[in-house]
Every structure is written in structure tokens, then in C-alpha cells.
Amino acid sequence: QVQLRESGGGLVQAGGSLRLSCAASGSIFSIDNMAWYRQAPGKGRELVAVIITGGNTNYADSVRGRFTISRDNAKNTVYLQMNNVKPEDTAVYYCNIKGSAGLGRYFEVWGQGTQVTVSS
């Protein structure tokens, strides 16, 4: 089994910064995509940013230029650096990781979610 541990959420003022982390542990042979999603109250879950094995990234239009996703393969960890945050960034943020446990076994796991609240 693979477990994820998220950290870094909290309360921040508009224009401030926050860094989220998500560390994976367990039966991991390799990790492919690592991503962050978010879900605001009354809305569906949306993709915020994704980083693939080769390091290519993609962002939602609403966060491009303000958020940066990165990964540390040695630590099986993905980060989301959030700069110049806005009240509309308020949401529960979830990490999502896809990979292989070896021997033809693949996994996709979700973090437990971390609350980010941006005050105006």
C-alpha cells in the first residue's frame, strides 16, 4: 500500500505565500504523475497543477504564474509553492500520485486534504 502525508496548509492573507508538501511512502517502485487538486465549498474538485516524470508541468489558468509545482524524486515528495494568493484560492487542497508498485501493479492515491484559507 501507498500512503500520502500532506502538510503546509493554513490561513494566509491575500498577496501572501504558502507552501504545500505531500510525501508518499509504502510500496513504491516508481512514481509517474504527481498533481495537486483543490475543492472549494460548493464546487467540484479541480486540477491545479501536475508534474510528470520528466519534469514537465501544467497549470490551471487561474494559478499559472502564481503557483509552482515541483517534485523531489529522492523523497517521493511533491510541493506546491503558492505565491500572491487570492481569496478565490481558498479550498481544500489534495495531492494525487500515480505510479507503480512493481510486478505490473499500479496505484493512484489521494492525500487526506489540507485546508488553505486566504483572507482579504
Side-chain angles (χ1 to χ4, degrees), residues 79-111:
Y79 305 96
L80 185 68
Q81 178 66 43
M82 307 167 61
N83 295 331
N84 189 24
V85 295
K86 303 176 180 181
E88 51 263 42
D89 294 322
T90 295
V92 178
Y93 285 70
Y94 299 90
C95 62
N96 173 273
I97 294 180
K98 299 178 182 177
S100 170
L103 301 176
R105 299 171 297 165
Y106 298 91
F107 62 83
E108 178 177 4
V109 291
W110 290 88

Side-chain angles (χ1 to χ4, degrees), residues 8-73:
L11 176 64
V12 60
Q13 287 189 333
S17 297
L18 210 58
R19 189 194 197 204
L20 307 182
S21 300
C22 176
S25 61
S27 302
I28 299 171
F29 177 74
S30 64
I31 293 179
D32 301 321
N33 291 8
M34 307 179 88
W36 288 95
Y37 288 75
R38 68 185 180 186
Q39 186 165 16
K43 296 187 178 181
R45 191 170 295 188
E46 65 170 348
L47 177 66
V48 175
V50 59
I51 183 167
I52 65 175
T53 305
N56 286 348
T57 59
N58 197 19
Y59 297 90
D61 289 342
S62 59
V63 307
R64 186 174 290 113
R66 300 187 297 120
F67 291 9
T68 301
I69 189 171
S70 61
R71 60 191 287 171
D72 184 332
N73 292 326

